[in-house]
Amino acid sequence: MARYYVIAGESSGDMHGANLMKSIRTLDPDAGFRFWGGDRMSAVAGEPVRHVSDLAFMGFWEVLINLKKILKNIRFCKQDLLRYNPDVLILIDYPGFNLRMAQFAAKHNIKVVYYISPQIWAWKQNRIKTIRKTVDKMLVILPFEQDFYKRLGMEVEFTGHPLLDELIPLKETSRYDDFRSDNNLDDTPIVALLPGSRKQEVSRMLRGMTEAAGNFPDHQFVVAGVSSLGMHFYKSYTGASNVSVVLDQTYALLANARAALVASGTATLETALFGVPQAVCYKANVVSYHIARKLVNIKFISLVNLIMDKAVLQELIQHNFNPAAVQCELQRLLFDEAYRNSMQSEYRQVYERLGGTGASRKAAEHIIDVVGYVNQ
């Protein structure tokens, strides 16, 4: 029986990790898993070693104040990895933690596959030295990443983006028809608010997203919340009468939305794949933001803009994420049909560039190849 050790440290990694594990199990029915992840991965393979809710720290300042906990997790993971002695270590994004584990695994002759690349094309390109020495195969999900790694001499495969497997089958069903009635929402157009899933992130983003609601009385603003934070937490940030909160129903919300305000991250791509015109919002801790400005070397922060290499979406960042700017952009997203149609046309090109469906299966095949080599 092949043994797979999988580490995902965030909610998006949990989703992609779960789909990957399902695909591995399809190809290798006797596969054994030990993993760090969340509820999605738990549904596939039981209890995690550590849950993502205890692992996700966002920004330089947040990492600093939680450093003792992070270092404790690293020490424990090293010990646990040796005890399990897997045929392959599968790392899913989460680079600050996972690159340390790649180094440790390589020293102990454990094969390493990195699935969903660290964004070293944006910053910390010196990490390629660690990756080149420790990672046996890099599996990337964005089209421009393959060329990036090939230029740096890495063994790399573009698998396509796993979100296509997750979202396209869901979008094409009628399972969301009851969303409004199930959540006591009326028939007025919906503006979806996606402020992220971490408490620190939501605390910075949500009030700025909801402040514009009073200027659009003929629309309802619906927050995509997560149950791990609880309804009471969200209510403290939502004052307007036309603002509601739903928990753990992000895709159903997007399927019913006319426009969206979205925190930077994977959610911008999810929103695009649902065809919802959006603006991207981002506000970090002041210390983290000023450090990032000096270190990050990219033109855009949203995946849609990065994939298309142009400004498809408006990015409202830090001081530009303010009530006047949000109101102005929402006006365009809701009422300017030419603007909406142009954005949705660009979304179709994003889909084409992402390589079609089957990403999780392709990634699993590459990992099985590595395991097959190990077990020869």
Side-chain angles (χ1 to χ4, degrees):
M1 180 183 77
R3 288 140 63 94
Y4 304 82
Y5 200 107
V6 189
I7 304 176
E10 299 170 307
S11 58
S12 61
D14 174 51
M15 176 175 69
H16 300 321
N19 289 332
L20 177 65
M21 289 160 69
K22 289 176 188 175
S23 294
I24 290 173
R25 190 159 274 169
T26 299
L27 299 170
D28 180 5
D30 296 323
F33 292 106
R34 189 160 176 82
F35 67 96
W36 296 46
D39 296 341
R40 298 282 296 268
M41 293 169 75
S42 295
V44 178
E47 288 297 312
V49 178
R50 290 284 190 274
H51 196 278
V52 292
S53 59
D54 296 322
L55 302 174
F57 302 105
M58 183 181 180
F60 301 98
W61 177 250
E62 289 78 9
V63 169
L64 183 62
I65 62 177
N66 287 284
L67 188 58
K68 185 177 180 179
K69 183 176 183 180
I70 293 169
L71 293 175
K72 183 179 178 181
N73 281 334
I74 289 172
R75 288 193 298 270
F76 175 80
C77 189
K78 290 177 178 179
Q79 296 166 0
D80 195 58
L81 186 63
L82 290 181
R83 280 194 295 266
Y84 190 66
N85 190 29
D87 294 296
V88 63
L89 171 63
I90 304 168
L91 305 172
I92 302 176
D93 201 2
Y94 197 48
F97 187 95
N98 275 341
L99 285 176
R100 287 174 172 81
M101 298 315 304
Q103 290 176 297
F104 182 79
K107 286 179 182 177
H108 291 84
N109 298 314
I110 297 171
K111 290 289 181 179
V112 178
V113 175
Y114 214 122
Y115 179 49
I116 305 180
S117 164
Q119 294 178 352
I120 64 170
W121 36 267
W123 71 308
K124 291 191 175 181
Q125 288 201 16
N126 61 321
R127 283 176 164 173
I128 190 61
K129 298 175 184 177
T130 300
I131 293 171
R132 202 155 32 200
K133 289 179 181 177
T134 62
V135 174
D136 295 283
K137 181 164 283 189
M138 177 66 73
L139 305 178
V140 299
I141 63 173
L142 297 172
F144 57 83
E145 292 177 322
Q146 186 173 37
D147 291 337
F148 173 83
Y149 277 105
K150 281 185 175 178
R151 287 196 302 269
L152 296 172
M154 276 290 298
E155 185 176 349
V156 59
E157 299 287 348
F158 172 55
T159 63
H161 204 295
L163 271 180
L164 300 189
D165 294 328
E166 182 76 13
L167 299 191
I168 300 306
L170 292 176
K171 187 184 174 189
E172 291 174 349
T173 72
S174 59
R175 68 181 67 190
Y176 302 133
D177 290 350
D178 297 328
F179 171 74
R180 290 175 185 262
S181 59
D182 288 346
N183 292 282
N184 297 315
L185 301 173
D186 59 36
D187 293 331
T188 57
I190 290 175
V191 177
L193 306 180
L194 279 64
S197 58
R198 307 179 187 106
K199 182 177 288 189
Q200 299 151 338
E201 185 180 25
V202 176
S203 297
R204 284 194 295 268
M205 301 298 300
L206 190 50
R207 187 165 284 118
M209 288 181 167
T210 58
E211 282 181 343
N215 296 310
F216 298 89
D218 295 329
H219 293 72
Q220 52 189 326
F221 288 62
V222 184
V223 180
V226 293
S227 55
S228 59
L229 296 182
M231 185 66 76
H232 180 73
F233 172 77
Y234 290 99
K235 289 295 186 182
S236 64
Y237 292 93
T238 56
S241 60
N242 61 333
V243 178
S244 304
V245 181
V246 298
L247 299 179
D248 303 328
Q249 299 178 70
T250 300
Y251 294 162
L253 171 58
L254 288 174
N256 285 272
R258 178 164 175 81
L261 300 177
V262 186
S264 175
T266 305
T268 63
L269 190 53
E270 293 172 314
T271 303
L273 292 174
F274 270 97
V276 182
Q278 63 178 302
V280 179
C281 306
Y282 180 78
K283 180 173 284 188
N285 170 280
V286 174
V287 174
S288 296
Y289 174 71
H290 285 291
I291 293 173
R293 281 192 64 186
K294 295 180 181 299
L295 297 177
V296 175
N297 183 33
I298 52 174
K299 292 187 289 186
F300 306 109
I301 65 169
S302 77
L303 286 175
V304 172
N305 289 348
L306 285 166
I307 291 167
M308 296 301 295
D309 195 28
K310 62 181 178 180
V312 175
L313 314 176
Q314 181 75 272
E315 298 183 347
L316 306 176
I317 303 172
Q318 209 66 7
H319 63 277
N320 289 324
F321 177 41
N322 59 65
V326 170
Q327 181 178 346
C328 179
E329 185 59 19
L330 270 179
Q331 193 77 22
R332 297 177 73 199
L333 292 170
L334 292 170
F335 303 115
D336 186 336
E337 290 300 326
Y339 184 54
R340 290 171 53 83
N341 291 338
S342 174
M343 190 177 295
Q344 289 168 330
S345 175
E346 299 285 0
Y347 285 170
R348 288 188 283 275
Q349 293 185 52
V350 169
Y351 174 79
E352 292 172 3
R353 293 189 184 190
L354 287 177
T357 57
S360 299
R361 172 80 181 208
K362 293 171 191 172
E365 289 171 351
H366 288 299
I367 292 168
I368 293 291
D369 285 344
V370 172
V371 171
Y373 171 75
V374 169
N375 288 335
Q376 281 180 354

